[in-house]
Every structure is written in structure tokens, then in C-alpha cells.
């Protein structure tokens, strides 16, 4: 079962393009069905379907990328926990025409080849642990994944782009200030968390 596959979605025509890997993730032979929004939503876990539908509608209405963390059910009835990472597509004039990106299946454990790659990179990881841990923390917060899954995502991008893990992590951290500021309600919620978190530490005297 593939762990990463690519897709494209064109806003004007509502047309989806799936890579062979995304077809197989859903349990189909490549090209055996025409991917549509209806087909895509029919596979979503019932608890996640409305959220995914809203994200797709928002992408079309506002010209945003379709990114999500959700579950889908393949044709065999198996549940996949996936993260969709995407960016916007532009035409020659710079207008947004769609979104393209990757499905990352976080359900399976690391394949043996991935373990070998990570083992080879281990000295580099240890030497540059601080910046890699920072990058992992960012991914954990942004995508709501655990530490292992965040490291898998960094490792995937490192292998996919033939970039050293430490360099990728360092550049990610360096470019964080270019992101938009957090919404006020997010900062308010975090302020509350920071000022009260000590009261919820297990075993700590009240």
C-alpha cells in the first residue's frame, strides 16, 4: 500500500486528477474510476465528511489550497488516517486555477527502506537535534500529528527533494516569520493555556 500520492483539483471544472498511488490508497486500480468530489466524499469517514466537504467548498470559493487531516475508508473497508498537504495552482497570468499536493497515509508503520534511510541519517539527526525538534514541533501543531508522524513528514520531504534533513528543518524554522499572524482568538486561547497549564499537571499539588 503506497504511503504518499499526489493529486490536482481544478476549480473551474471541479476536475480531480489522482496519481496511481492515490487510486491504490482508495482501493482502485489506476484509471478504473473517474475521481470526483462526490466519489472522494463517499470514502470519507462519517465523522470527517462534513469537515472535508467544507474545506473543498472553501478552497473553490476563496481560491485556497485544499489541505486537511482526516480519515477515509477504502473499498476493502479499511480506515486510513491521512494528511493532505497542498498548494495553489496558478495560470500564466498568476490567477489561482486550482490546488495540487499530496496525500500522506499516516496509518502504516515505516517501511523497511524508510527505516534504512532514517538509520543512515541518524548521526545527522543527533548532531542537529535542536532545529529538527523545533521543526517537528511546528508540524505537530499545524497538522495535529504526533512526534513520530511529524518526523515522517520531514523525512518524506527530505527524501522527495533530495535535501538534507537538517537543512530542510532549519529553512522551515527560518521562514516561519513569513506566515500570517495567528488569529486573535487563537492567541487568546493560547494565553489561557499558558497561564493555567500548571494547574492540570498530573500529580502536582493543588
Amino acid at each position: 500500500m503506497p504511503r504518499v500520492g499526489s493529486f490536482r483539483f481544478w476549480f473551474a471544472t471541479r476536475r480531480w486528477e489522482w496519481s496511481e498511488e492515490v487510486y491504490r490508497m482508495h482501493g482502485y486500480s489506476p484509471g478504473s474510476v473517474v475521481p470526483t468530489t462526490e466519489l472522494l466524499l463517499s470514502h470519507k469517514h462519517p465523522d470527517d465528511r462534513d469537515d472535508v466537504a467544507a474545506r473543498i467548498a472553501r478552497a473553490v470559493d476563496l481560491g485556497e489550497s485544499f489541505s486537511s487531516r482526516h480519515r477515509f475508508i477504502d473499498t476493502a473497508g479499511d480506515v486510513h488516517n491521512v494528511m493532505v498537504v497542498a498548494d495553489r495552482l496558478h495560470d500564466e497570468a498568476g490567477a489561482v486555477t486550482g490546488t495540487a499536493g499530496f496525500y500522506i497515509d499516516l496509518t502504516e508503520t515505516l517501511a523497511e527502506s524508510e527505516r534504512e534511510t532514517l538509520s543512515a541519517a541518524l548521526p545527522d539527526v543527533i548532531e542537529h537535534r535542536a532545529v529538527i525538534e523545533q521543526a517537528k514541533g511546528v508540524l505537530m501543531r499545524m497538522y495535529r500529528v504526533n512526534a513520530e508522524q511529524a518526523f515522517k513528514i520531514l523525512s518524506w520531504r527530505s527524501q522527495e527533494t533530495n535535501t538534507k534533513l537538517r537543512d530542510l528543518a532549519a529553512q522551515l524554522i527560518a521562514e516561519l516569520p513569513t506566515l500570517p499572524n495567528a488569529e486573535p482568538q487563537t492567541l487568546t486561547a493560547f494565553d489561557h493555556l499558558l497561564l493555567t497549564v500548571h494547574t492540570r499537571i498530573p500529580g502536582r499539588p493543588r
Side-chain angles (χ1 to χ4, degrees), residues 2 24 45 67-68 70 77 89 98 104 114 158-159 161 188 201 203:
R24 292 193 178 100
H45 190 282
S67 299
S68 176
H70 62 267
L89 291 171
I104 307 168
E114 292 173 303
S158 172
Q159 296 171 42
T161 61
T188 298
I201 297 175

Side-chain angles (χ1 to χ4, degrees), residues 118 125 132 136 147-156 165:
L118 295 183
V125 171
I132 291 172
K136 282 171 54 181
E148 180 183 0
Q149 291 169 336
F151 188 64
K152 289 179 186 178
I153 294 166
L154 278 177
S155 301
W156 161 62
L165 191 65

Side-chain angles (χ1 to χ4, degrees), residues 5-196:
S6 61
F7 75 93
R8 289 189 178 192
F9 177 47
W10 306 97
F11 294 153
T13 60
R14 307 295 197 272
R15 179 169 61 90
W16 291 88
E17 294 179 2
W18 284 356
S19 69
E20 293 185 0
E21 293 80 8
V22 175
Y23 273 105
R24 292 193 178 100
M25 280 184 193
H26 286 81
Y28 297 109
S29 298
S32 61
V33 296
V34 176
T36 64
T37 300
E38 291 73 22
L39 177 68
L40 185 146
L41 291 177
S42 73
H43 279 279
K44 300 311 175 190
H45 190 282
D47 292 341
D48 297 341
R49 188 174 297 133
D50 289 346
D51 179 67
V52 174
R55 289 176 183 270
I56 293 174
R58 180 180 176 86
V60 173
D61 292 342
L62 301 180
E64 296 182 348
S65 59
F66 168 57
S67 299
S68 176
R69 170 76 189 279
H70 62 267
R71 293 161 292 176
F72 72 78
I73 303 171
D74 65 23
T75 57
D78 294 326
V79 177
H80 297 252
N81 188 341
V82 298
M83 188 173 70
V84 179
V85 180
D87 203 352
R88 293 175 292 182
L89 291 171
H90 299 84
D91 62 18
E92 294 181 357
V96 177
T97 57
T99 181
F102 299 89
Y103 271 74
I104 307 168
D105 194 335
L106 300 174
T107 309
E108 301 297 326
T109 57
L110 289 175
E112 186 61 33
S113 61
E114 292 173 303
R115 292 184 187 278
E116 293 175 358
T117 300
L118 295 183
S119 295
L122 191 58
D124 184 66
V125 171
I126 293 175
E127 182 180 356
H128 300 87
R129 183 183 301 274
V131 71
I132 291 172
E133 290 298 321
Q134 285 181 318
K136 282 171 54 181
V138 171
L139 294 175
M140 290 169 66
R141 174 62 183 89
M142 295 299 294
Y143 295 133
R144 301 298 180 95
V145 296
N146 61 34
E148 180 183 0
Q149 291 169 336
F151 188 64
K152 289 179 186 178
I153 294 166
L154 278 177
S155 301
W156 161 62
R157 293 309 296 161
S158 172
Q159 296 171 42
E160 183 85 4
T161 61
N162 194 27
T163 305
K164 288 186 177 181
L165 191 65
R166 67 170 185 267
D167 294 340
L168 193 71
Q171 192 63 28
L172 179 67
I173 296 303
E175 295 192 23
L176 280 181
T178 67
L179 296 180
N181 292 331
E183 295 292 331
Q185 59 267 33
T186 301
L187 289 176
T188 298
F190 185 76
D191 288 347
H192 175 74
L193 176 66
L194 178 64
L195 296 175
T196 63

